[in-house]
């Protein structure tokens, strides 16, 4: 499943460059181009799903793999112990601009709650 107009599908296909920090058979993670914290990594399934609900509905363990990849990256970036945030913006009102599901792994600084 690939969407030819999707930026993150193009990153998976290596047609658009990105700083890749982690890769498994079915997941990819790369640094956000506009980082909001010392660690800001986008974790995605290589297959195209528009949002977290669509990914979860696939019900084949891929959502679990994305979340576990995020945690492994947090450990590698040494933010897991102090804590990090994993955010799936879903829909325009929440600020989703790329409609290929991605978890924002954010850490390395204090994070306010509630978010803006
Ligand atoms: P959203 O707003 O959909 O939750 O998150 C999209 C994220 O993708 C934003 O944080 C934005 O900075 C990031 N982004 C947009 N274009 C690119 C790109 O070409 N490369 C990378 N690495 N990140 C991008
Ligand atoms: Zn895509």
């Amino acid at each position: 499943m690939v969407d030819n107009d999707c930026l993150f599908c193009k990153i998976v296909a290596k047609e658009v460059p990105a700083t890749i920090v982690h890769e498994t058979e079915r997941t990819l993670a790369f640094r956000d181009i506009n980082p909001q914290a010392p660690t800001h990594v986008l974790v995605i399934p290589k297959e195209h799903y528009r949002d977290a609900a669509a990914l979860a509905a696939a019900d084949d363990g891929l959502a679990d793999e994305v979340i576990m990849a995020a945690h492994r990256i947090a450990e590698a970036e040494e933010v897991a112990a102090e804590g990090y945030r994993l955010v799936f913006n879903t829909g325009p009102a929440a600020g989703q601009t790329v409609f290929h599901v991605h978890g924002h792994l954010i850490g390395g600084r204090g994070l306010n709650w509630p978010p803006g």
Side-chain angles (χ1 to χ4, degrees), residues 37-106:
T39 292
H40 188 171
V41 173
L42 302 175
V43 189
I44 68 171
K46 290 179 178 175
E47 270 186 77
H48 183 92
Y49 294 98
R50 63 175 284 107
D51 58 26
L55 172 62
D59 196 24
D60 64 354
L62 186 51
D64 311 37
E65 289 179 34
V66 169
I67 292 169
M68 282 312 302
H71 186 66
R72 292 206 181 90
I73 298 158
E75 289 178 325
E77 300 261 323
E78 299 186 336
V79 300
E82 69 200 32
Y84 61 88
R85 196 164 287 165
L86 183 59
V87 178
F88 293 85
N89 293 329
T90 304
Q96 187 177 7
T97 58
V98 178
F99 287 85
H100 180 134
V101 60
H102 50 280
H104 292 256
L105 164 58
I106 299 167

Side-chain angles (χ1 to χ4, degrees), residues 3 6 8-9 48 100:
D3 178 336
C6 171
F8 289 176
C9 283
H48 183 92
H100 180 134

Side-chain angles (χ1 to χ4, degrees), residues 11 14 36 43 74 92 104:
I11 288 178
K14 310 270 163 57
Q36 302 302 313
V43 189
H104 292 256

